[in-house]
């Protein structure tokens, strides 16, 4: 592919990634309206988001493995089709359970787009050159993840649209991305005759992750943490993941090659990516709820109030990406980003239902700066270290754990929020001298918040505002753990060859060795061998 073709394909990939990440957060500010109109509960509130993240998390490593085996272009197109289908069906939902189910279909497409996007870009551009495009990539992810609530709020507040268009709006963009990618992306298909898909490993990984996420979401509400049901789900999840590890060690082509984790960079980057997932998804979901419920802002205003985080993320992603390409150094930006994320979350952990909005805006800007420097830059050292044949699996594994952090973060933080809101509501009602039997009979909560008496409604809103701080405090602690992992990653100079160029050079080296092992080579053959050896030497030098 020429440089022009690569840039055109990059535009299509970024558009697909934008649509995918937009779908994860565009419903954030629409959720209170959706839950009210469809008569849902706080648990269902969380699951509308978690269902998509769960499906995408469980399938991300599977998409990544397929990218090492079959046409990347075909996989991108398939993921876009799945996403579009899920979006349209979600917009037509008539109940919360149906909406959650169609969000799962969306998640299947999202898993492909978020894994395949970075894999295709890695195949087209070298790690050193990729830094130049990290800014646009991270900016797209930041705008989609954080500005999604703004667009969702505008759609909900527009009477002739309504919340269903939060799902419909992504479909036309996905179709455009499908057309652009179909016309511009022309990566060679690497055919392997000895491929054997690890269906058992893929099924066990997806099942194990799903069971544990279901446990953390329902425990404490549908059943006690210390109960037979809780123990059964934990045991089942652990057994399934244990079997997955066993199967992966025996499989010829494992979905997640465990040998990758022998590399310290891979292991540490994977750990750090979990906190980034919490930042990307958890922050956006609970911020929208805080601004609307605790502070009384409209969905549109709630989206506008997240702009400091968007601006901070875009600026830091663009600047850090350009500097990485110019100087070839990346660790300093990851460390700075980790510090920014931890500081932003911990500062937000000091807020309540009456905190000055200017202060909250400043805290969000700090958080955004940290997110921008870590989101996409975190995968660079991994892609730089692994062999070209493992590029898809390694990239998808990092994306998998980032999604796992998002899904688990939304589930766990949602459970913490729900429990703490209940405690604060009871305390507030008791302190205000409200008849608890009357309050209990009203079912005071999110589903009927607008129907509650003013005094009880104010107490519930205040409880949401005060409880949200605990969510951000937990996220801040996770971000500190991410910072520790980043600090121990060893910095290695970025390569100057793309994934496809490295693969071609390594195959040239193998071909040269095969030719030399055959006696009686003529002068033309020797000339070809010399040329192949020269290419192989360049590739080895670039990798060193």
């Amino acid at each position: 592919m020429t440089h022009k073709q690569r840039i055109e394909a990059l535009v299509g990939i970024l558009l697909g990634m934008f649509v995918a990440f937009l779908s994860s957060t565009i419903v954030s500010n629409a959720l209170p309206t959706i839950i009210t109109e469809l008569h849902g509960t706080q648990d269902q509130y969380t699951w509308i988001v978690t269902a998509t993240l769960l499906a995408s998390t469980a399938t991300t490593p599977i998409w990544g493995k397929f990218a090492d085996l079959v046409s990347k272009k075909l996989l991108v197109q398939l993921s876009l089709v799945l996403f579009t289908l899920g979006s349209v069906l979600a917009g037509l939902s008539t109940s919360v359970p149906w909406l959650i189910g169609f969000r799962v279909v969306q998640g299947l497409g999202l898993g492909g787009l978020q894994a395949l996007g970075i894999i295709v870009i890695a195949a087209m551009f070298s790690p050193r050159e990729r830094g130049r495009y990290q800014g646009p990539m991270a900016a797209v992810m930041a705008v989609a993840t954080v500005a999604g609530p703004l667009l969702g709020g505008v759609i909900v507040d527009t009477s002739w649209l309504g919340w269903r268009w939060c799902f419909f709006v992504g479909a036309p963009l996905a179709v455009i991305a499908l057309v652009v990618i179909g016309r511009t992306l022309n990566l060679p298909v690497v055919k392997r005759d000895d491929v054997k898909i690890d269906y058992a490993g893929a099924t066990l990984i997806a099942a194990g992750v799903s069971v544990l996420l279901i446990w953390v979401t329902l425990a404490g509400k549908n059943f006690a943490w210390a109960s037979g049901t809780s123990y059964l789900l934990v045991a089942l999840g652990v057994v399934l993941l244990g079997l997955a590890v066993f199967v992966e060690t025996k499989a010829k082509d494992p979905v997640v090659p465990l040998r990758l984790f022998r590399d310290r960079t891979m292991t540490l980057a994977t750990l750090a990516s979990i906190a980034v997932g919490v930042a990307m998804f958890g922050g956006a979901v609970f911020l929208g709820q805080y601004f609307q419920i605790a502070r009384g802002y409209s969905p549109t205003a709630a989206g506008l109030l997240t702009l400091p985080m968007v601006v901070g993320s875009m600026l830091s992603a663009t600047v850090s990406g350009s500097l990485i390409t110019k100087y070839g150094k990346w660790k300093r930006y990851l460390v700075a980003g980790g510090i920014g994320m931890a500081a932003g979350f911990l500062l937000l952990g000091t807020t309540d239902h009456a905190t000055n909005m200017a202060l909250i805006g400043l805290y969000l800007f700090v958080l955004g700066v940290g997110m921008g420097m870590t989101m996409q830059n975190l995968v660079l050292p991994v892609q730089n270290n692994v062999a070209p044949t493992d590029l898809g699996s390694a990239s998808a594994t990092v994306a998998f754990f980032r999604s796992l952090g998002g899904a688990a973060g939304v589930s766990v933080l949602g459970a913490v929020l729900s429990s703490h809101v209940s405690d604060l509501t009871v305390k507030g009602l008791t302190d205000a001298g409200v008849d608890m039997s009357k309050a209990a009979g009203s079912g005071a909560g999110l589903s009927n918040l607008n129907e509650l008496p003013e005094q009880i409604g104010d107490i519930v809103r205040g409880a949401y505002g005060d409880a949200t701080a605990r969510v951000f405090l937990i996220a801040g602690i996770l971000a500190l753990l991410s910072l520790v992992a980043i600090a121990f990653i060893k910095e290695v100079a970025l390569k100057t060859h793309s994934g496809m160029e490295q693969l071609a050079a390594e195959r040239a080296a193998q071909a040269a060795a095969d030719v030399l092992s055959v006696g009686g080579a003529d002068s033309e053959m020797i000339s070809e061998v010399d040329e192949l050896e020269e290419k192989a030497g360049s590739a080895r030098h670039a990798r060193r």
Side-chain angles (χ1 to χ4, degrees), residues 492-509:
V492 178
L494 297 176
K495 301 170 187 173
T496 56
H497 288 70
S498 70
M500 283 296 174
E501 289 170 342
Q502 293 175 54
L503 187 59
E506 290 195 0
R507 292 193 169 189

Side-chain angles (χ1 to χ4, degrees), residues 81-104:
V81 169
L82 277 173
F83 172 81
T84 305
L85 177 64
S87 299
V88 173
L89 292 175
L92 297 174
S93 301
T94 55
S95 67
V96 175
W98 277 109
L99 175 58
I100 292 173
F102 293 137
R103 288 281 285 172
V104 170

Side-chain angles (χ1 to χ4, degrees), residues 49 52 103 137 240 267 376 431 451 469 484 490 520 525 528:
V49 177
T52 302
R103 288 281 285 172
M137 287 169 61
L240 288 171
T267 302
Q376 281 304 104
D431 293 344
E451 302 168 7
V484 173
K490 182 179 179 181
M525 183 179 292
E528 291 178 359

Side-chain angles (χ1 to χ4, degrees), residues 119-152:
I119 292 170
V120 170
I121 291 170
M124 294 191 297
F125 301 99
S126 71
R128 179 70 177 265
E129 187 182 12
R130 212 173 301 147
R132 181 181 305 155
Y133 303 105
Q134 295 297 88
M137 287 169 61
V140 163
M141 293 175 67
V143 171
T145 303
V146 184
L150 172 59
L151 178 58

Side-chain angles (χ1 to χ4, degrees), residues 320-335:
S320 65
S322 299
L323 292 175
I324 287 172
T325 293
K326 184 175 181 179
Y327 298 108
K329 302 291 185 181
W330 47 264
K331 184 170 181 178
R332 63 192 66 174
Y333 306 108
L334 280 179
V335 171

Side-chain angles (χ1 to χ4, degrees), residues 491-538:
E491 185 164 31
V492 178
L494 297 176
K495 301 170 187 173
T496 56
H497 288 70
S498 70
M500 283 296 174
E501 289 170 342
Q502 293 175 54
L503 187 59
E506 290 195 0
R507 292 193 169 189
Q510 183 60 46
D514 293 342
V515 171
L516 288 174
S517 66
V518 179
D522 57 23
S523 59
E524 182 178 351
M525 183 179 292
I526 292 174
S527 175
E528 291 178 359
V529 169
D530 290 340
E531 183 179 349
L532 292 172
E533 285 185 318
E534 184 179 348
K535 291 181 179 179
S538 298

